[in-house]
Amino acid sequence: MSLNGWLQIALFIAIILLLAKPMGSYMTRVFDRRRTWLDPVLVPCERLLYRLTGVDPNEEMRWTQYAVAMLVFSAATLILTYAIQRLQQFLPLNPQHLAAVAPDLAFNTAVSFTTNTNWQAYTPETTMSYLTQMLGLATHMFWSAAIGLALAIAFIRGIARREMKTLGNFWVDLTRGTLWVLLPISIVFAVALTSQGVIQNFHPYTTAKLVQPQTVTATGSDGKTTTTAVTTQTIAQGPVASQEAIKMLGTNGGGFFNANSAHPFENPTALSNFLQMLSIFLIPAGLTVTLGTMVGSPKHGWAVLAAMTILWFVGVFVCYWAEAQPNPLMHNVDQRASLTQSGGNMEGKEVRFGIVNSALFATVTTDASCGAVNSMHDSFTPLGGLVPLTNIMLGEIVFGGVGAGLYGMLVFVVIAVFIAGLMVGRTPEYLGKKIEAYDVQMAMLYLLIFPLIILGFAAVAVLMPNLGLSSLLNHGPHGLSEILYAYASATGNNGSAFAGSNWNTHWYNYSLGFAMFFGRFMMIIPMLAIAGNLAGKKIVPETAGTFPVTTPLFTVLLTSVIVIVGALTFFPALSLGPILEHLLLHAGHTF
Amino acid sequence: MLPERYFMADIIALITIAVLFPLSLLYVSACDHLKGSRR
């Protein structure tokens, strides 16, 4: 670890904390339908959309109506994306004449992008046409993020409203989140990325002549050895910048190229890398301020932001420390940091980004449900890889995905105030609302579904060698970590992978597709049920026995509840995966 | 033309989608009913 590295980390979080207030205030104005400086351009667009779709923007929805609208929209767009992939060979903007995507992979990818996961079991540049990437995938990056944003706002309204049965209008929240928040920032961000060298074109792939031709020797299944001279290289092109911006801002993570943000056309410079990390946390950090403002308790928003920042710091500290350590099995290699090398564990990392920007990116992308990567998490040290895995298993509520992070955190808040109420023997209250049996039942349903899906599917994959193990390339505890990571990433709608396996099999395409679907919608519905129930409650006056949710004590309690719930749920599995691998590494074994 | 062997796989994928979303609607109804049953 170096001073330079820590200064970069400090600069990153300082900018995020500085941007939280203006971003949060802007989003409050957008969702309260107050005037913004973009109104002259966007209000006519908004009205036109409502007129074309027959939406009454003044209609209020109960939580069930809100949920049904969200499900109907998700179903329609999922089928659209499936169809685009299956028919891409007949559609335009396919200069490489790529064939139709296979059905199981098309199913997996359609679910993946609908649920904001962006799990990619395919190599984009050899599988998806430009039209599929733009119309099938990038549009979902806007919609799925806007849905997350709408749901978080609905939850906040549930807390803020008194004796009302409604949470707002899903179609209005979806439209305003897309038009006022995601689209303008993405346009500015895409231009900034192109200034750094991110490409944006519809060209066919370029063929370049190698300066140093290579010779590749391969042994076929018949045992014969063939030698091929490689003199050219195909360089993929495409409309990358426009997708890259929403990929990060919407905490989507689906790369235009297989190497994701490690590819120089997606992430060319240190500045583009820094901007990409900032854009992941921008909206989630702002939403804590929106929470505080809309519920009339700005300090509560800051207390939640403080809990997120503490958990983020612990993660980045452990990951940076672990990756800065030399590999104990490489005795005769200089792994010390110096002016000419990063030192530490550089396997799977871009030399351009080094240890600190790889560890920070990995922590940020898994704190949020982004899943973009600028280094290969599979190559991290066992403890370094434990951090992204744990971040996902905590529910990605440390800043979290756009909207999803905040509503996940608010479910933990409900549990935290419930526990605080139990400790002092009073009916728990949250900002004047009594937390009753139904709220806790729904919160527990939300919290229990998550590990049930991850551990259930992982157990089946491990116990069925023909299904889950046949395509695995690493075995032992590292192989278990890869399977655990895959299901955690899918269920948490993260989308990053520990790689190390061919995930493009029937079993993984369908089982991970189900994990993504259930991880998204089976958790959203109980969350909305809590919001709907809270909206209908009266406000009870604060008394000496009320647990304040604006103090450092609340922040500590919230942080503890998150860690304890996560640790109790996943520690046994983690101890058989990365923790065991760490112990075996220092005993001289590697996997 | 789309390969014929994919036809059944397409049907399976679409049926899966067609089943998952109505199940989610049932889940919404069940969560709402749970609240009503406690009154």
Side-chain angles (χ1 to χ4, degrees), chain A residues 216-295:
Chain A
V216 176
T217 305
T219 306
S221 55
D222 55 357
K224 286 184 180 174
T225 303
T226 53
T227 303
T228 315
V230 180
T231 55
T232 59
Q233 180 187 2
T234 303
I235 300 174
Q237 304 287 322
V240 181
S242 55
Q243 184 169 316
E244 191 69 13
I246 188 62
K247 168 192 141 188
M248 311 308 289
L249 182 72
T251 59
N252 290 285
F256 198 93
F257 302 116
N258 193 39
N260 210 290
S261 284
H263 194 295
F265 284 175
E266 278 201 45
N267 191 8
T269 65
L271 181 60
S272 69
N273 188 64
F274 196 72
L275 290 175
Q276 290 195 8
M277 291 190 291
L278 286 178
S279 64
I280 296 176
F281 272 5
L282 178 65
I283 294 175
L287 274 174
T288 59
V289 175
T290 305
L291 165 73
T293 312
M294 287 179 77
V295 301

Side-chain angles (χ1 to χ4, degrees), chain A residues 329-351:
Chain A
L329 301 186
M330 295 169 72
H331 303 291
N332 300 319
V333 179
D334 180 8
Q335 298 176 71
R336 287 169 301 179
S338 68
L339 288 174
T340 54
Q341 63 176 23
S342 294
N345 174 37
M346 277 300 287
E347 181 193 308
K349 294 187 179 65
E350 269 284 310
V351 175

Side-chain angles (χ1 to χ4, degrees), chain A residues 201-550:
Chain A
N201 62 51
F202 290 115
H203 298 160
Y205 294 176
T206 307
T207 302
K209 198 171 179 183
L210 292 183
V211 177
Q212 290 180 312
Q214 306 285 315
T215 305
V216 176
T217 305
T219 306
S221 55
D222 55 357
K224 286 184 180 174
T225 303
T226 53
T227 303
T228 315
V230 180
T231 55
T232 59
Q233 180 187 2
T234 303
I235 300 174
Q237 304 287 322
V240 181
S242 55
Q243 184 169 316
E244 191 69 13
I246 188 62
K247 168 192 141 188
M248 311 308 289
L249 182 72
T251 59
N252 290 285
F256 198 93
F257 302 116
N258 193 39
N260 210 290
S261 284
H263 194 295
F265 284 175
E266 278 201 45
N267 191 8
T269 65
L271 181 60
S272 69
N273 188 64
F274 196 72
L275 290 175
Q276 290 195 8
M277 291 190 291
L278 286 178
S279 64
I280 296 176
F281 272 5
L282 178 65
I283 294 175
L287 274 174
T288 59
V289 175
T290 305
L291 165 73
T293 312
M294 287 179 77
V295 301
S297 176
K299 282 185 181 172
H300 176 55
W302 292 118
V304 171
L305 183 61
M308 290 176 171
T309 308
I310 291 168
L311 288 166
W312 163 82
F313 178 76
V314 173
V316 80
F317 178 84
V318 174
C319 193
Y320 184 26
W321 170 81
E323 292 310 298
Q325 304 305 308
N327 185 326
L329 301 186
M330 295 169 72
H331 303 291
N332 300 319
V333 179
D334 180 8
Q335 298 176 71
R336 287 169 301 179
S338 68
L339 288 174
T340 54
Q341 63 176 23
S342 294
N345 174 37
M346 277 300 287
E347 181 193 308
K349 294 187 179 65
E350 269 284 310
V351 175
R352 292 178 294 145
F353 304 133
I355 299 288
V356 65
N357 281 302
S358 301
L360 180 58
F361 200 111
T363 310
V364 168
T365 198
T366 49
D367 279 333
S369 66
C370 183
V373 293
N374 76 348
S375 59
M376 296 304 109
H377 295 183
D378 198 38
S379 294
F380 277 29
T381 60
L383 290 185
L386 177 68
V387 171
L389 186 53
T390 306
N391 283 340
I392 298 172
M393 286 175 165
L394 290 180
E396 295 165 328
I397 37 70
V398 184
F399 293 89
V402 169
L406 185 75
Y407 66 66
M409 184 57 118
L410 291 176
V411 172
F412 273 107
V413 170
V414 168
I415 296 296
V417 294
F418 173 67
I419 290 170
L422 286 182
M423 286 195 287
V424 295
R426 285 179 56 92
T427 304
E429 293 161 23
Y430 175 38
L431 292 167
K433 302 278 180 81
K434 284 191 184 296
I435 301 297
E436 294 162 316
Y438 180 74
D439 306 304
V440 178
Q441 280 174 349
M442 290 295 112
M444 290 315 297
L445 189 58
Y446 180 99
L447 293 181
L448 290 173
I449 285 168
F450 186 62
L452 193 68
I453 300 169
I454 297 171
L455 298 175
F457 273 120
V460 173
V462 169
L463 290 171
M464 308 280 273
N466 292 335
L467 298 177
L469 301 182
S470 57
S471 61
L472 207 62
L473 303 175
N474 297 100
H475 296 279
H478 195 76
L480 178 64
S481 298
E482 288 168 349
I483 292 173
L484 272 175
Y485 196 105
Y487 286 107
S489 175
T491 311
N493 299 152
N494 184 275
S496 64
F498 244 25
S501 176
N502 172 22
W503 304 112
N504 188 10
T505 65
H506 282 84
W507 161 255
Y508 278 115
N509 278 335
Y510 278 109
S511 66
L512 289 167
F514 287 133
M516 290 185 272
F517 185 93
F518 294 139
R520 175 82 162 176
F521 299 113
M522 287 185 77
M523 294 175 74
I524 283 174
I525 289 164
M527 177 279 294
L528 273 178
I530 299 171
N533 197 41
L534 287 177
K537 294 186 182 190
K538 293 176 188 169
I539 297 280
V540 293
E542 202 172 295
T543 66
T546 303
F547 181 68
V549 290
T550 55

Side-chain angles (χ1 to χ4, degrees), chain A residues 94-307:
Chain A
N94 186 4
Q96 296 307 117
H97 307 292
L98 297 169
V101 180
D104 58 323
L105 180 59
F107 169 78
N108 179 284
T109 308
V111 176
S112 172
F113 281 75
T114 304
T115 57
N116 196 254
T117 311
N118 292 214
W119 172 269
Q120 295 173 289
Y122 58 91
T123 302
E125 53 266 50
T126 56
T127 313
M128 301 294 178
S129 71
Y130 292 162
L131 187 85
T132 306
Q133 296 248 41
M134 294 177 80
L135 190 62
L137 308 184
T139 47
H140 265 302
M141 292 184 174
F142 282 96
W143 291 331
S144 62
I147 288 174
L149 203 49
L151 292 167
I153 295 299
F155 201 125
I156 295 172
R157 289 197 192 112
I159 301 164
R161 290 183 171 182
R162 302 173 183 192
E163 297 178 70
M164 284 179 73
K165 290 186 173 173
T166 58
L167 295 173
N169 183 311
F170 171 76
W171 304 111
V172 173
D173 292 338
L174 179 75
T175 306
R176 292 186 76 84
T178 307
L179 289 183
W180 267 264
V181 181
L182 299 172
L183 210 50
I185 303 175
S186 292
I187 291 170
V188 174
F189 188 27
V191 172
L193 288 173
T194 51
S195 78
Q196 293 301 298
V198 178
I199 60 170
Q200 179 75 14
N201 62 51
F202 290 115
H203 298 160
Y205 294 176
T206 307
T207 302
K209 198 171 179 183
L210 292 183
V211 177
Q212 290 180 312
Q214 306 285 315
T215 305
V216 176
T217 305
T219 306
S221 55
D222 55 357
K224 286 184 180 174
T225 303
T226 53
T227 303
T228 315
V230 180
T231 55
T232 59
Q233 180 187 2
T234 303
I235 300 174
Q237 304 287 322
V240 181
S242 55
Q243 184 169 316
E244 191 69 13
I246 188 62
K247 168 192 141 188
M248 311 308 289
L249 182 72
T251 59
N252 290 285
F256 198 93
F257 302 116
N258 193 39
N260 210 290
S261 284
H263 194 295
F265 284 175
E266 278 201 45
N267 191 8
T269 65
L271 181 60
S272 69
N273 188 64
F274 196 72
L275 290 175
Q276 290 195 8
M277 291 190 291
L278 286 178
S279 64
I280 296 176
F281 272 5
L282 178 65
I283 294 175
L287 274 174
T288 59
V289 175
T290 305
L291 165 73
T293 312
M294 287 179 77
V295 301
S297 176
K299 282 185 181 172
H300 176 55
W302 292 118
V304 171
L305 183 61

